[in-house]
Amino acid sequence: MVSGLTISERQRSMAVLIVLAVIGLVMAAAGANRADPMQAHGFLVLLFSLGVLCFVLNGYFEPEPSATRLTSYYDDPSKAGIVIAMLWAVFGMFIGDWVAWLLAFPDMTFDAAWSSFGRLRPAHTTGVIFGFGGNALIATSFHVMQRTSRARLPDQFSPWFVLIGYNLFCLLAVSGYFLGITQSKEYAEPEWYADIWLVIVWVTYLVLYLRTLARRKEPHIYVANWYYLAFILVVAILHVVNNLAVPASFAGAKSYSLFSGVQDAMTQWWYGHNAVAFFLTAGFLGMMYYYLPKRAGRPIYSYRMSIIGFWGITFFYMWAGSHHLHYTALPQWVQTLGMTFSVMLLVPSWIAAANALLTLNGAWDKVRDDATLRFMMMAAIFYGLSTFEGSFMAIRSVNALSHYTDWTIGHVHAGAMGWVALITFGSIYAVVPWLWKRERMYSPVLVEAHFWLALAGTLIYVFAMWNSGIIQGLMWRTYNDSGTLTYSFLDSMVAMHPYYVARAIGGLLFLIGAIVGCYNIWMTIRRPSGASALTDDALLPANLQPAE
């Protein structure tokens, strides 16, 4: 890591880390004066900065990299990002399965505030969405951008700043939840100082991406880069607007949102649904449009479809967030607008799913034999199913039954487990042998086992929540002859118990699969590079092959 940096980049790294350590010290001191939980975060920033600084100092006097480095791609940040993503996956999924068992058996916890559902649940969502998904997106975007642009990253410092800085944000977020530090905004819980830090990191990420594209030797910008760039740019806008807040004190963690009432709700779900759109959809479509055709050895079925799908998703998604607020104080016309665009979203979404599956024409024998490609194929199927379900659930009359029930939980996890996680695992299994120059994964049998564990866990989880949610919705709206509710809320909770147990079992299978994947990746990395090892450049299909 450090040996790949020039002396000036090592000095820049040390300067940034010293400044960050000072900021952490100031935060700790300010929090101590007020007995504020920001004190703990100050010490976290301080220790994190000093730890990385010691690592840089340890390698400071190593020889500078030779000029020949500029003739090859810079993949060290991608390698680190993939390893970190898998660690976050195990952590986030473990917390998620604990929460699932907790809902079935409420005594399966500790008599401590940090282990309550309200603190564990955001630790789970942040761990899997931002820890696992975010690191995978950053790592693969660095890899894809260089190959499709035929340009090396412009420097070695910026990608490490993005990767390490982003993980500092994730640590601040998750540790904050255990401490009780939260804005109470869905997918945007971290407080103001963590939000500011993420803006700095994210702007660096955007500039790095644009600098690399500006240096490209390939005149065409491949569609995967369009999706990655939309993910980076729109997430920055969403994050800034939704997290506009006034700190109660610069010496404390608490802040107050700039918005209130129904405006706050609309801003939150404009952010929340577009976080799904551009973090959990656009970024992973970029991943799919690169790794699926490469693994299949086939060109994209229709490049025109990929572009039409991109612009359809980019435009339609922006207007769909208000479908989260049906039957609320939000004006009816805004609800209808969100519902209409949500239904329209089915077209570009299915274009992307169909394009992926049609790309596999002529390669179905590989899908049968290659579990890595099967991960990606199944992800495309789940993407199509989840987007249909999302458009269907956005219809006001359907939403009357589904909203506030476990059906929504099932829908979210069909997308998160079936689409996001499966395409990520497939892409990681494809890229790990290429990055570490191995002939293949350590154990194809373990890849196969992981696939079936992940698929079984997803199906059990989703079907349990579909049944649970529909039963909930029906019980809550059933009236007796006297016009009163037939079932109490407690009756519906009792009816849910077997489905909650099934959900926890499905989550456990998925977690075991992730642990199997971690072991397989670690053993692949540890293996010596074989003489017949292939790089991903040698596997490019025709429409991605760099020009001579």
Side-chain angles (χ1 to χ4, degrees):
M1 171 184 166
V2 180
S3 61
L5 303 178
T6 64
I7 293 297
S8 63
E9 287 173 330
R10 296 173 198 180
Q11 293 170 347
R12 195 183 318 159
S13 302
M14 291 168 58
V16 170
L17 290 166
I18 290 170
V19 170
L20 198 57
V22 170
I23 292 173
L25 185 61
V26 171
M27 289 172 60
N33 289 335
R34 298 165 52 91
D36 191 275
M38 190 171 76
Q39 176 187 9
H41 271 170
F43 282 120
L44 174 62
V45 172
L46 176 62
L47 293 175
F48 183 91
S49 305
L50 292 177
V52 179
L53 181 60
C54 290
F55 189 77
V56 174
L57 286 171
N58 187 54
Y60 182 80
F61 294 104
E62 292 184 18
E64 279 195 281
S66 66
T68 57
R69 75 184 188 282
L70 301 177
T71 62
S72 61
Y73 299 130
Y74 187 50
D75 289 328
D76 288 355
S78 293
K79 292 178 180 179
I82 287 167
V83 172
I84 295 169
M86 291 304 297
L87 294 176
W88 275 111
V90 172
F91 168 80
M93 293 173 194
F94 169 77
I95 297 294
D97 199 50
W98 180 12
V99 169
W101 287 108
L102 191 59
L103 289 172
F105 303 100
D107 292 332
M108 291 182 62
T109 188
F110 303 97
D111 186 19
W114 67 267
S115 63
S116 63
F117 175 86
R119 298 192 184 185
L120 292 176
R121 192 261 179 181
H124 159 62
T125 55
T126 296
V128 294
I129 295 173
F130 299 111
F132 171 50
N135 277 289
L137 286 170
I138 291 171
T140 57
S141 68
F142 290 161
H143 177 261
V144 171
M145 173 173 54
Q146 294 183 90
R147 269 69 182 179
T148 55
S149 301
R150 293 196 297 150
R152 180 185 166 93
L153 293 172
D155 66 85
Q156 291 84 220
F157 170 79
S158 297
W160 284 115
F161 176 81
V162 171
L163 184 67
I164 295 173
Y166 179 75
N167 279 280
L168 174 58
F169 165 78
C170 291
L171 288 173
L172 287 172
V174 171
S175 61
Y177 308 148
F178 292 130
L179 293 169
I181 302 174
T182 175
Q183 289 189 105
S184 302
K185 285 175 175 268
E186 184 78 352
Y187 310 135
E189 294 92 348
E191 273 290 2
W192 61 274
Y193 49 88
D195 291 334
I196 292 173
W197 174 246
L198 183 59
V199 170
I200 296 170
V201 171
W202 213 253
V203 169
T204 306
Y205 187 19
L206 174 61
V207 172
L208 174 64
Y209 213 93
L210 293 174
R211 288 171 63 200
T212 307
L213 290 178
R215 301 170 70 249
R216 70 185 186 278
K217 296 182 179 67
E218 182 66 40
H220 178 72
I221 299 178
Y222 183 60
V223 68
N225 287 315
W226 292 41
Y227 278 107
Y228 277 123
L229 199 54
F231 143 67
I232 298 168
L233 181 61
V234 179
V235 165
I237 298 170
L238 298 170
H239 174 77
V240 169
V241 174
N242 190 53
N243 288 291
L244 290 173
V246 178
S249 168
F250 289 112
K254 182 63 181 171
S255 66
Y256 294 92
S257 174
L258 201 63
F259 310 101
S260 62
V262 72
Q263 288 83 10
D264 188 36
M266 183 64 253
T267 305
Q268 162 59 30
W269 284 111
W270 167 78
Y271 163 87
H273 197 74
N274 282 299
V276 172
F278 291 94
F279 200 102
L280 298 177
T281 301
F284 292 94
L285 283 173
M287 201 182 285
M288 180 195 78
Y289 270 119
Y290 184 77
Y291 292 107
L292 185 144
K294 282 173 61 63
R295 187 71 182 191
R298 304 283 300 174
I300 287 291
Y301 172 75
S302 170
Y303 200 78
R304 181 173 296 175
M305 284 174 64
S306 72
I307 300 302
I308 293 172
F310 170 81
W311 287 112
I313 287 172
T314 302
F315 179 71
F316 289 163
Y317 250 121
M318 277 291 182
W319 302 89
S322 58
H323 73 229
H324 287 265
L325 298 170
H326 282 319
Y327 303 103
T328 66
L330 194 72
Q332 183 89 349
W333 70 268
V334 182
Q335 299 177 34
T336 303
L337 182 73
M339 176 183 71
T340 304
F341 274 93
S342 298
V343 173
M344 292 164 64
L345 259 173
L346 188 59
V347 176
S349 299
W350 273 27
I351 284 175
N355 208 5
L357 294 174
L358 290 170
T359 297
L360 296 174
N361 280 345
W364 289 106
D365 58 319
K366 295 182 181 179
V367 175
R368 180 192 63 216
D369 300 331
D370 183 3
T372 297
L373 192 56
R374 210 177 313 130
F375 266 109
M376 302 183 200
M377 179 272 293
M378 193 56 65
I381 291 173
F382 268 103
Y383 177 65
L385 293 174
S386 298
T387 50
F388 169 77
E389 184 184 30
S391 296
F392 181 63
M393 292 172 71
I395 299 171
R396 188 179 286 110
S397 55
V398 178
N399 198 263
L401 174 67
S402 70
H403 206 34
Y404 305 117
T405 72
D406 290 329
W407 186 356
T408 302
I409 310 302
H411 165 62
V412 168
H413 284 79
M417 298 164 75
W419 158 237
V420 171
L422 293 189
I423 192 63
T424 304
F425 288 137
S427 299
I428 288 176
Y429 281 134
V431 77
V432 163
W434 300 338
L435 285 177
W436 276 273
K437 295 180 173 54
R438 306 294 188 261
E439 185 178 357
R440 58 173 174 80
M441 290 297 298
Y442 167 72
S443 172
V445 173
L446 290 180
V447 178
E448 188 82 25
H450 184 187
F451 172 79
W452 290 111
L453 283 167
L455 180 60
T458 301
L459 292 176
I460 292 171
Y461 190 114
V462 171
F463 274 99
M465 290 298 95
W466 280 345
N467 280 277
S468 170
I470 292 172
I471 291 172
Q472 273 180 332
L474 293 174
M475 290 181 75
W476 294 349
R477 63 197 293 177
T478 301
Y479 295 88
N480 55 31
D481 292 338
S482 62
T484 59
L485 289 172
T486 302
Y487 303 102
S488 68
F489 184 77
L490 189 58
D491 291 333
S492 70
M493 289 299 297
V494 172
M496 294 308 102
H497 187 263
Y499 300 109
Y500 284 7
V501 173
R503 172 192 24 204
I505 293 171
L508 181 60
L509 292 176
F510 207 86
L511 170 61
I512 293 170
I515 294 171
V516 169
C518 283
Y519 174 76
N520 204 2
I521 291 167
W522 176 245
M523 294 303 294
T524 303
I525 294 170
R526 289 187 59 190
R527 289 176 66 190
S529 179
S532 58
L534 297 175
T535 67
D536 57 326
D537 299 316
L539 300 172
L540 285 168
N543 70 322
L544 290 181
Q545 189 70 45
E548 295 297 333

